[in-house]
């Protein structure tokens, strides 16, 4: 059975950093595209960062140079390193698994989300 469990969220001051983790079970993360998706209060989903099985990546323009995605195959875990955080990054962050190794497939499993709040 597939499970995705996010952790690492919390309250941070502007300019601070957080690292989110997505621990996966029931499949191998290196064989699928994996995404971090966020939803701010009252807004729709934003696809923050995606990595495919060939390590190609795509990201939201507003996080360029501040966020990065990585994968630890030995731990079957995907990370989102977030630096230079600002209040606009406040959201619930979800980890999602693609149905294939490609980024543009349907994402068939989602974690429960972890709250990130950026505030003085």
């Amino acid at each position: 059975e597939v499970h995705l469990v996010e952790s690492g969220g919390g309250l941070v001051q502007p300019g601070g950093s957080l690292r989110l983790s997505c621990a996966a079970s029931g499949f191998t993360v290196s064989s699928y595209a994996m995404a971090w998706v966020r939803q701010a209060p009252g807004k729709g989903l934003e696809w923050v960062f995606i990595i495919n099985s060939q390590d190609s990546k795509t990201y939201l323009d507003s996080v360029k140079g501040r966020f990065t995605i990585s994968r630890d195959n030995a731990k079957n875990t995907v990370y989102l390193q977030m630096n230079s955080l600002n209040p606009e990054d406040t959201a619930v962050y979800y980890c999602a698994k693609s149905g294939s190794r490609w980024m543009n497939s349907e994402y068939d499993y989602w974690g429960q989300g972890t709250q990130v709040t950026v505030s003085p």
Side-chain angles (χ1 to χ4, degrees), residues 7-118:
S7 61
L11 174 64
V12 63
Q13 292 186 341
S17 298
L18 285 174
R19 188 177 79 157
L20 306 183
S21 300
C22 173
S25 59
F27 72 102
T28 302
V29 295
S30 60
S31 298
Y32 294 86
M34 298 292 297
W36 284 98
V37 185
R38 69 186 182 187
Q39 187 167 30
K43 296 188 177 180
L45 295 175
E46 281 190 314
W47 294 79
V48 179
F49 233 118
I50 309 173
I51 183 170
N52 72 7
S53 61
Q54 282 77 44
D55 285 343
S56 293
K57 303 169 186 176
T58 187
Y59 51 84
L60 192 65
D61 281 349
S62 63
V63 307
K64 182 179 181 180
R66 301 189 299 122
F67 292 12
T68 189
I69 194 170
S70 63
R71 187 173 51 210
D72 185 330
N73 294 337
K75 295 182 178 180
N76 212 35
T77 298
V78 179
Y79 301 98
L80 183 68
Q81 177 67 44
M82 305 186 295
N83 301 325
S84 301
L85 285 159
N86 59 59
E88 290 70 40
D89 297 316
T90 295
V92 177
Y93 284 71
Y94 298 93
C95 174
K97 169 191 168 292
S98 172
S100 78
R101 58 181 176 165
W102 306 115
M103 296 180 185
N104 58 356
S105 295
E106 179 181 357
Y107 284 74
D108 51 5
Y109 289 92
W110 294 67
Q112 82 287 352
T114 186
Q115 176 71 47
V116 172
T117 302
V118 185

